Amino acid sequence: MEAIKNPRGRGAGVNLAGAPSAARERMWKAMRILRRFQIGELLQVAEIARRKAAERYLRDLTGADYLRIEKRVRGCEGSVYVLIRNTGPFAPRVGRKGLTIDPNIEIIRLRELRENLTAQITACDKRLIRLGAFVERQKLGGQN
């Protein structure tokens, strides 16, 4: 995946180049399986050692409307989260400026674009065939 830059100027963009972290991928897979979880459960299932990094990812996903906090709880286990937007198997990526890149949505968008372009190309081919037949009829009609 290439870097996404903000067209408004240098330094204003978010660089999301490279592969997402394996820890975030594991957390996303665990969230999709659990659907409703506390951070302690997520850390165990996804085998994550860095709680702060997990908290930051949960905060980012909550802000991007992928998760909802069902019940706020203080302590080791933390709040109860619910996955409300399961877009697919690839983990959404959230940059420092809040820009969210979801490969699942991009794949769907590109497939739809391909289908639309294929339909347009097919329609153009049919018009070209009709136009070619028309031109041939005109040539034959002019020779008689």
Side-chain angles (χ1 to χ4, degrees):
M1 183 180 279
E2 65 182 58
I4 308 292
K5 297 285 185 185
N6 187 335
R8 286 183 269 162
R10 187 170 173 242
V14 176
N15 186 348
L16 294 176
S21 77
R24 286 186 174 199
E25 288 291 338
R26 287 195 314 271
M27 282 190 283
W28 178 249
K29 286 178 183 172
M31 286 180 229
R32 292 181 68 225
I33 291 167
L34 296 170
R35 307 276 181 179
R36 184 178 181 275
F37 56 89
Q38 291 179 291
I39 193 165
E41 286 177 283
L42 183 66
L43 294 172
Q44 286 179 339
V45 172
E47 299 176 348
I48 305 295
R50 296 178 52 212
R51 184 181 177 106
K52 289 288 183 192
E55 288 173 345
R56 183 173 56 247
Y57 190 51
L58 292 176
R59 184 177 55 245
D60 290 343
L61 290 179
T62 301
D65 295 327
Y66 284 87
L67 298 176
R68 175 175 45 88
I69 297 176
E70 186 175 85
K71 185 168 96 177
R72 293 195 184 274
V73 179
R74 294 200 181 271
C76 293
E77 287 301 307
S79 300
V80 177
Y81 291 88
V82 178
L83 180 65
I84 57 173
R85 192 166 151 211
N86 181 359
T87 56
F90 303 108
R93 302 176 66 194
V94 183
R96 287 185 211 121
K97 307 236 182 201
L99 174 66
T100 304
I101 302 288
D102 190 335
N104 305 297
I105 293 172
E106 278 298 302
I107 289 168
I108 291 168
R109 188 185 68 75
L110 290 173
R111 283 182 180 155
E112 288 172 354
L113 178 62
R114 183 183 64 197
E115 287 175 16
N116 290 338
L117 291 173
T118 302
Q120 289 177 14
I121 289 168
T122 302
C124 286
D125 285 345
K126 288 178 182 177
R127 285 191 299 239
L128 284 170
I129 290 168
R130 284 194 306 265
L131 182 59
F134 174 76
V135 169
E136 286 300 315
R137 281 194 308 268
Q138 293 299 321
K139 284 182 186 177
L140 291 175
Q143 291 177 355
N144 292 341

